[in-house]
Amino acid sequence: MASATSSSAMIPPGSPIQAPAEKPGAPPINILPSKLSQVYSYVHPVLLLTLCAVRFEKLVADPVQELLRDLPWLALLQISYVMLCLPPAGSTQATETVSDGEEKKKAAQRSPSSPSMTLRPGKPGYRRKHQSGKLDLAGALAKIMPAFLSLAISSLIATPILAVLLVLFGAPLTTHNPETVLCAAHMALLSATALVYAHGVDGHIWKEVWGIARPVDAVWGSALGTGLGAWFGAIPIPLDWDRPWQAFPITILVGAYVGHALGSLVSRAPLLYGKRIQFAPVGTEEAEKKTN
């Protein structure tokens, strides 16, 4: 009889039943610690705004042709940014920093007389340089492939999703279809390239992205800034100012570029970095209404 007793009977009465632990959210993404990465992370938003400002007059004159011409330049800038400034999916700045420190300690402890190293006569350090060259090439390939994959995924998946969202938010459905698709393509490269590069296709993280529950960092801040900037950029379109730059999708696109740049910079401020947007639960709101 004792062996047939269920495990639930062993739980003492009144003890709380533990719910299954939820998967912890991924920490915020840090810019890589190298000097080049830190400098370019501030230069990149300036380059994007410069591209937008320099091509603005041609964008007003012929939106479709100009959006097509600017798309390769935007793709090049985004690939450069993710490769220089961000860790690829599956790695974090912390683990890279620890591994680099361990390698430096091991290299400092080694000596030319160590049996683990084989040096050629007359060519000191040849084997070490040769090995470091292989590591550098492997590190470059480990960044190039995720960068182009993130660019492809952003173009093929995020572009149609954003095009549908633009239509749902008021973009014309039967006209201006090339403008809608190209505007969505620019917004996809601005918002999704870094997200895919840094987080891959982890469903738990993408639930946080769509639920606006990610901790604030440069990657999430630039994506959120792109969406908010495009939303605010649509405000001048229905106003009766009769300006040529009010035509769809010029102000939306400019707002997306400005929002991306501001989001990537503001999100790195100490007061915002790592914080999450907190929404008040329904029970709390009802309790406040009853007390009032």
Side-chain angles (χ1 to χ4, degrees):
M1 296 294 291
S3 60
T5 305
S6 61
S7 59
S8 60
M10 299 175 64
I11 302 176
S15 62
I17 300 176
Q18 294 183 354
E22 296 182 357
K23 182 180 178 181
I29 300 297
N30 295 322
I31 302 296
L32 295 177
S34 68
K35 184 176 294 186
L36 177 61
S37 302
Q38 294 291 327
V39 172
Y40 187 75
S41 65
Y42 291 103
V43 173
H44 179 72
V46 178
L47 292 178
L48 289 176
L49 293 180
T50 302
L51 175 65
C52 184
V54 169
R55 311 295 289 183
F56 182 75
E57 293 184 1
K58 294 183 178 180
L59 178 64
V60 174
D62 191 350
V64 175
Q65 291 299 323
E66 190 56 34
L67 288 175
L68 280 173
R69 294 191 190 101
D70 293 345
L71 202 56
W73 294 105
L74 175 60
L76 180 62
L77 287 174
Q78 290 299 93
I79 287 180
S80 302
Y81 173 72
V82 297
M83 289 181 61
L84 290 175
C85 300
L86 301 178
S91 65
T92 60
Q93 180 181 349
T95 57
E96 290 180 358
T97 304
V98 171
S99 62
D100 290 343
E102 291 178 354
E103 289 180 0
K104 290 179 180 179
K105 289 180 181 179
K106 291 180 180 179
Q109 292 175 356
R110 290 173 183 172
S111 62
S113 60
S114 175
S116 61
M117 290 192 58
T118 304
L119 299 179
R120 294 189 178 184
K123 294 183 179 180
Y126 174 80
R127 186 176 180 85
R128 181 178 296 178
K129 291 181 180 179
H130 186 63
Q131 290 178 348
S132 64
K134 286 185 178 180
L135 292 175
D136 292 341
L137 179 61
L141 291 176
K143 289 188 175 184
I144 290 174
M145 292 302 296
F148 280 95
L149 283 175
S150 63
L151 186 69
I153 292 174
S154 301
S155 302
L156 297 177
I157 298 179
T159 298
I161 293 175
L162 289 174
V164 172
L165 289 177
L166 285 173
V167 173
L168 293 177
F169 276 93
L173 178 61
T174 57
T175 61
H176 297 79
N177 292 328
E179 289 89 341
T180 302
V181 173
L182 288 171
C183 180
H186 278 254
M187 292 178 60
L189 295 186
L190 286 172
S191 60
T193 305
L195 282 173
V196 177
Y197 182 85
H199 300 300
V201 291
D202 190 337
H204 179 74
I205 294 178
W206 283 96
K207 286 180 181 178
E208 291 184 341
V209 170
W210 288 107
I212 317 180
R214 286 290 305 152
V216 176
D217 55 24
V219 176
W220 170 232
S222 60
L224 185 61
T226 301
L228 291 176
W231 187 69
F232 282 107
I235 294 176
I237 294 179
L239 301 179
D240 55 350
W241 294 343
D242 295 329
R243 303 294 183 183
W245 51 263
Q246 286 181 264
F248 174 82
I250 297 172
T251 57
I252 294 177
L253 193 67
V254 172
Y257 271 81
V258 174
H260 176 90
L262 291 178
S264 63
L265 295 175
V266 173
S267 60
R268 298 173 63 182
L271 293 177
L272 296 177
Y273 178 79
K275 304 294 178 59
R276 296 176 186 265
I277 299 176
Q278 298 290 338
F279 296 97
V282 178
T284 305
E285 293 179 354
E286 293 178 353
E288 291 179 355
K289 291 179 181 179
K290 291 180 180 180
T291 55
N292 294 333

